[in-house]
Amino acid sequence: MTIFNVLTLIGGLALFLFGMSIMGSNLEKISGGKLESVLERMTNSRIKGLFLGLGVTAIIQSSGAVNVMAVGFVNSGIMALKQVIGIIMGANIGTTVTAWLLSLTGIEGSSVFLQLLKPSSFAPVLAFIGVLIFKFSKNDKRKSIASILLGFAVLLIGMNTMSSSVSGLKDVPEFTNLLLKFSNPLLGLLAGIVLTAVLQSSSASVGILQAMTATGAVSVSVAFPIILGMNIGACTPVLISAIGTNKNARRTAATVPLLATSGVVLAMIVFYGADAIFGLPFLSEQVNPTKVAIIHSVFNIFAATILFPFGGVIEKLMYKIIKDDPKSDEASDETSLVEDRFLLTPAYALDKIKEKCDGMALLAKKNISMSLDFLKVYSRVKDEKIKENEKLLDQYEDELETYLVKISSLELSFADSMRQSKYSHAIGNFERIGDYGVNILKTKRRMHKEKIHFSDDANKELDIMGRAVKEIIEKSTDAFINNDLELAQTIEPLEQVINNLKVQLRTRHSKRMNDGECTIEHGMLFFDIINSFERIADHCSNLAVCIIELSQGSYQTHSYLKGVKNSDNRSFMKSFEEYLNKYEIK
């Protein structure tokens, strides 16, 4: 084997890993977080979790990603440990699909049909089709499909390159002797663990083993312990992901190597026990990529079948290994609003952001509703509750904005990029809405403390404007939560009516001050309240514009507002007139 063979091997490995990464990331992108959402919602039984874990892993080609996601589910309280045990077992089986795809390189035969099935025949075709689609299609989903085809083609080309670069080693006695050492179960197991821990992917390490079969020196006795070791080495990513999590998440992460190690021990006892008793004649047989895929699949199915009935026992064992500390404060196990582990799938991470944004919307709406009631009658209980809610809104803004910054640094589809922008705008607007609720609270608190009261006319006017504000925040939050474009389009006319009300109320109250009915001090407090009302409406308008514009793939606020307020816009003018009549000050 010359230096050029080594360089070819390195290049083939680089292509193989790059193709696997491209294919996996685009499979996740095209799923749009839907697969992870299915996992979250449909794991009320262990058997269902097993099949779902198998299916999702087979599609996104990463058992590590699914297991890390499971840790995130448990850490955030979405699932319990007993629900994810089935997912972990299923993920281990699902990861064998990659090996079967790569086994196509081992197809032999001279018929045209068999030749067409070989990657060397169809990989260039897939690459060409992928390039054409990617080059000429503007559709985001089609581009992802093209990237999947390209990734798969590059992966197969890399696999062939590795196989051809090492094929000459079959005539090198030193290499054959080296491989024979791995027929020692412990050495083979250790080699598999180290290789997979370094590559952070059992699929990649199995693919490399399949490529090495081209040397003709890999026997069943060599391949078997290495494959077992690969299943243990694949636990590395999930163990790393458990750092900084709560106890239940650490139990989930520890379950992954426990299941892998238990399966390996059982398989070795059965396999080597059978060899000791009966003598297995096929141990010295050479393996090809297909046989590697068979061994990989049989082992994982065997391990899942044997361990599946003991899911409850495994759960109890994890609670004994990682015990709850009765003296520790429960608050020490609290989690943040969002999970960094979900960043493995940006679309799903955005789904989680949407859930938190919905909660933020409801909290902001509740705060304004309490503030409006608060204007009529002072309540110390509501005073404390509004302040408490405002602190929570601030926490939402800090954590969600930080999380969105992390998401923005990832590779996002156009649709997800629009969602990221929409949620970022929404978070800022909801937080500011909450701030103006607190401003109203401070004004009323001062009025209560200094026993200041507005005139009946002033209170009546505030009530009318307050009802308009209550309606606009209800409509804007409902439009955001339900992504209701039709409802969002009714918000701008109402915002204009609220602007008009502010002007009217300022004029009327200024007259009362000039007539001596109200003091300057009272007037400033009145103006503070209606200013807060008007600013709340402005932020509701911002939300509506954001929902409408980003649904169309752009964010041109000024263009939208200019167009919607055009006197020729009959729909806008009709709604505007209706709101004018509804909130008319008589």
Side-chain angles (χ1 to χ4, degrees):
M1 189 174 184
T2 67
I3 184 64
F4 299 105
N5 293 117
V6 174
L7 292 175
T8 303
L9 174 63
I10 293 171
L13 177 60
L15 288 173
F16 176 79
L17 295 175
F18 179 70
M20 180 167 286
S21 175
I22 292 294
M23 186 174 70
S25 63
N26 281 279
L27 281 166
E28 290 175 4
K29 189 186 295 184
I30 205 168
S31 74
K34 294 183 180 66
L35 296 174
E36 290 78 4
S37 296
V38 169
L39 278 179
E40 177 186 336
R41 293 180 175 87
M42 297 182 65
T43 50
N44 51 348
S45 71
R46 200 183 311 139
I47 186 68
K48 194 182 289 184
L50 184 143
F51 284 109
L52 284 169
L54 189 160
V56 172
T57 306
I59 292 170
I60 69 173
Q61 297 286 293
S62 175
S63 61
V66 172
N67 287 334
V68 170
M69 193 71 66
V71 172
F73 287 149
V74 175
N75 193 54
S76 60
I78 295 172
M79 288 184 184
L81 173 59
K82 63 181 179 181
Q83 291 176 282
V84 299
I85 289 176
I87 292 176
I88 295 167
M89 292 180 178
N92 291 336
I93 300 175
T95 196
T96 63
V97 171
T98 308
W100 282 105
L101 292 173
L102 296 175
S103 69
L104 293 172
T105 57
I107 292 176
E108 297 177 356
S110 58
S111 71
V112 175
F113 178 72
L114 288 176
Q115 288 296 317
L116 288 173
L117 287 178
K118 296 188 72 172
S120 57
S121 300
F122 68 78
V125 178
L126 286 181
F128 182 70
I129 293 171
V131 167
L132 286 179
I133 297 173
F134 195 88
K135 185 74 174 174
F136 297 106
S137 177
K138 295 182 179 180
N139 182 282
D140 202 50
K141 185 167 285 189
R142 289 198 192 101
K143 281 184 176 288
S144 291
I145 292 172
S147 296
I148 291 168
L149 294 176
L150 282 167
F152 186 44
V154 170
L155 178 150
L156 292 174
I157 291 169
M159 181 78 172
N160 275 332
T161 304
M162 285 193 294
S163 298
S164 62
S165 68
V166 299
S167 60
L169 290 173
K170 60 186 175 184
D171 299 322
V172 180
E174 292 81 5
F175 179 76
T176 305
N177 293 333
L178 177 64
L179 279 182
L180 284 174
K181 292 182 180 179
F182 291 124
S183 61
N184 178 307
L186 294 179
L187 284 178
L189 193 70
L190 182 62
I193 292 172
V194 172
L195 177 63
T196 310
V198 170
L199 295 176
Q200 298 278 290
S201 170
S202 62
S203 296
S205 53
V206 169
I208 291 172
L209 180 62
Q210 287 176 303
M212 295 300 292
T213 61
T215 63
V218 181
S219 63
V220 173
S221 62
V222 171
F224 183 73
I226 292 176
I227 290 172
L228 297 191
M230 287 173 179
N231 282 271
I232 296 176
C235 302
T236 308
V238 75
L239 291 175
I240 294 172
S241 77
I243 297 171
T245 59
N246 60 31
K247 284 188 174 63
N248 282 328
R250 292 199 295 274
R251 291 180 184 118
T252 303
T255 301
V256 177
L258 176 67
L259 289 172
T261 305
S262 300
V264 166
V265 171
L266 289 171
M268 293 183 79
I269 289 172
V270 171
F271 186 81
Y272 292 109
D275 181 49
I277 296 171
F278 306 108
L280 300 178
F282 54 80
L283 284 180
S284 58
E285 288 183 10
Q286 293 180 3
V287 295
N288 55 28
T290 303
K291 287 182 180 178
V292 170
I294 290 172
I295 296 170
H296 192 211
S297 297
V298 169
F299 163 70
N300 281 289
I301 293 170
F302 164 81
T305 303
I306 297 298
L307 296 172
F308 185 81
F310 300 98
V313 176
I314 292 168
E315 181 189 2
K316 291 177 182 176
L317 179 61
M318 295 317 302
Y319 275 93
K320 287 188 176 181
I321 294 173
I322 302 177
K323 297 179 180 180
D324 287 318
D325 185 355
K327 296 181 180 180
S328 67
D329 186 358
E330 289 183 5
S332 64
D333 229 21
E334 289 181 356
T335 59
S336 59
L337 290 169
V338 281
E339 280 285 332
D340 281 352
R341 290 153 197 83
F342 295 151
L343 294 171
L344 284 168
T345 308
Y348 183 72
L350 285 168
D351 288 345
K352 296 287 104 181
I353 283 283
K354 174 61 165 62
E355 289 178 11
K356 299 304 179 184
C357 282
D358 289 351
M360 197 176 183
L362 294 173
L363 196 61
K365 181 170 73 172
K366 183 178 180 181
N367 244 20
I368 298 304
S369 179
M370 284 194 296
S371 297
L372 293 173
D373 293 339
F374 195 74
L375 277 176
K376 299 171 186 176
V377 181
Y378 177 82
S379 166
R380 184 173 295 278
V381 173
K382 285 186 178 179
D383 189 323
E384 293 300 321
K385 188 61 179 175
I386 291 171
K387 288 191 294 183
E388 180 184 322
N389 287 347
E390 175 57 23
K391 287 182 181 178
L392 190 51
L393 283 170
D394 288 340
Q395 181 190 357
Y396 269 112
E397 184 190 33
D398 290 342
E399 294 197 26
L400 298 186
E401 283 289 8
T402 301
Y403 198 67
L404 281 174
V405 169
K406 293 178 182 178
I407 292 176
S408 67
S409 66
L410 304 175
E411 187 179 349
L412 300 177
S413 66
F414 179 76
D416 286 340
S417 181
M418 289 295 99
R419 289 171 67 201
Q420 186 266 338
S421 182
K422 175 182 175 180
Y423 300 155
S424 181
H425 281 93
I427 290 165
N429 281 297
F430 287 137
E431 196 278 331
R432 292 301 293 148
I433 287 170
D435 285 345
Y436 287 110
V438 172
N439 286 353
I440 295 171
L441 161 71
K442 291 177 179 177
T443 302
K444 182 59 181 180
R445 189 191 295 150
R446 179 182 171 188
M447 290 174 64
H448 174 75
K449 184 178 180 181
E450 299 178 10
K451 295 182 169 43
I452 297 172
H453 302 283
F454 294 135
S455 65
D456 290 341
D457 285 342
N459 283 325
K460 180 182 176 182
E461 291 164 4
L462 285 177
D463 182 63
I464 292 172
M465 191 173 182
R467 284 190 287 111
V469 169
K470 189 171 185 179
E471 180 173 356
I472 198 171
I473 193 169
E474 285 178 350
K475 286 191 171 183
S476 59
T477 53
D478 289 348
F480 174 81
I481 291 170
N482 302 312
N483 199 31
D484 190 332
L485 297 180
E486 187 176 340
L487 184 59
Q489 288 167 350
T490 68
I491 291 169
E492 191 57 35
L494 181 52
E495 192 268 342
Q496 287 298 300
V497 169
I498 291 171
N499 285 348
N500 288 357
L501 283 171
K502 175 188 172 182
V503 174
Q504 289 182 57
L505 266 59
R506 285 185 69 91
T507 302
R508 294 166 74 96
H509 204 70
S510 293
K511 186 176 183 304
R512 284 193 289 269
M513 289 185 342
N514 291 333
D515 293 343
E517 296 178 29
C518 292
T519 65
I520 296 293
E521 185 180 23
H522 289 192
M524 295 306 295
L525 293 173
F526 185 87
F527 293 152
D528 283 345
I529 293 172
I530 62 173
N531 283 339
S532 292
F533 281 171
E534 188 263 342
R535 294 300 295 144
I536 290 168
D538 283 347
H539 287 289
C540 289
S541 171
N542 291 344
L543 277 170
V545 174
C546 179
I547 293 166
I548 295 166
E549 285 290 277
L550 290 178
S551 70
Q552 299 169 359
S554 65
Y555 190 57
Q556 302 293 329
T557 308
H558 298 298
S559 299
Y560 169 78
L561 292 177
K562 185 177 179 181
V564 81
K565 294 175 184 178
N566 191 300
S567 58
D568 294 333
N569 191 323
R570 294 182 180 180
S571 176
F572 177 86
M573 294 308 297
K574 181 182 177 182
S575 296
F576 181 70
E577 292 292 337
E578 288 174 356
Y579 287 131
L580 273 179
N581 293 330
K582 185 175 182 179
Y583 296 110
E584 182 182 5
I585 297 176
K586 299 177 181 177

